[in-house]
Amino acid sequence: MSLPHAILTALLEKPSSGLELTRRFDRSIGYFWSSTHQQIYRELGKLEQAGRIRALPAAVPARGQKKEYEVLPAGREELAAWVALPEDPRPVRDPLLLRMRAAAVVGADGMGAELRRHLTLHERQLAEYREIEKRNFTPAPTADEDRLRYLVLRGGIDLETFWIGWLTRAIADLDG
């Protein structure tokens, strides 16, 4: 996945300014594809230059007014082509797993506390996802686009559930 595709997706959902995109990334897309404000603005410029998006004309021109962007047909075509491409799963690259492997060699001092800290973070994230589920997907969605969005959320819920279970077992094994 790439940032341009994440931006095209967000803009097709709703034309937005760079600041609005940043806020939306913080609230939704950022759960699985994070980006900084600067990266988003840099990518907006590239997408505009490539003819995939355009700034909407302002109703009343004003100096310093924020630009709101929309996706052009070339941007929609690019996103549709990308969606149709096959992509293999990526290997897991998690620093905690590497640190645990290193702890097996140099000693596990502090590893239990770190695992408990991670467990707390994953429990918080799961609670946040459950709140989003309750707020936005009760009752269960019926429209295709909403079902697809819900499946993304369910993926996040399932991943957090996995991590909580795995961390709980790892802590019990270390404390064993």
Side-chain angles (χ1 to χ4, degrees), residues 98-111:
L98 181 57
R99 288 172 55 214
M100 288 181 72
R101 183 71 183 253
V105 181
V106 299
D109 288 345
M111 189 52 62

Side-chain angles (χ1 to χ4, degrees), residues 66-171:
K66 65 181 178 182
K67 289 183 185 178
E68 196 166 87
Y69 295 92
E70 71 175 351
V71 177
L72 295 172
R76 181 179 282 277
E77 289 169 17
E78 164 63 27
L79 188 60
W82 176 76
V83 166
L85 287 175
E87 187 170 336
D88 293 338
R90 294 187 183 223
V92 173
R93 289 182 58 161
D94 189 292
L96 179 63
L97 298 176
L98 181 57
R99 288 172 55 214
M100 288 181 72
R101 183 71 183 253
V105 181
V106 299
D109 288 345
M111 189 52 62
E114 182 65 357
L115 291 174
R116 282 186 270 291
R117 188 179 77 80
H118 276 255
L119 177 59
T120 299
L121 294 172
H122 285 287
E123 288 170 337
R124 283 185 197 149
Q125 189 63 61
L126 178 60
E128 190 171 336
Y129 286 162
R130 292 283 189 199
E131 184 57 36
I132 293 168
E133 179 182 42
K134 182 179 169 185
R135 181 180 63 237
N136 297 338
F137 296 104
T138 302
T142 55
D144 283 347
E145 62 273 6
D146 289 335
R147 286 198 324 248
L148 289 169
R149 287 184 187 106
Y150 181 58
L151 285 171
V152 172
L153 177 62
R154 280 296 323 166
I157 289 169
D158 291 348
L159 281 171
E160 294 304 327
T161 302
F162 160 78
W163 279 112
I164 289 166
W166 183 84
L167 285 160
T168 300
R169 285 188 304 280
I171 292 164

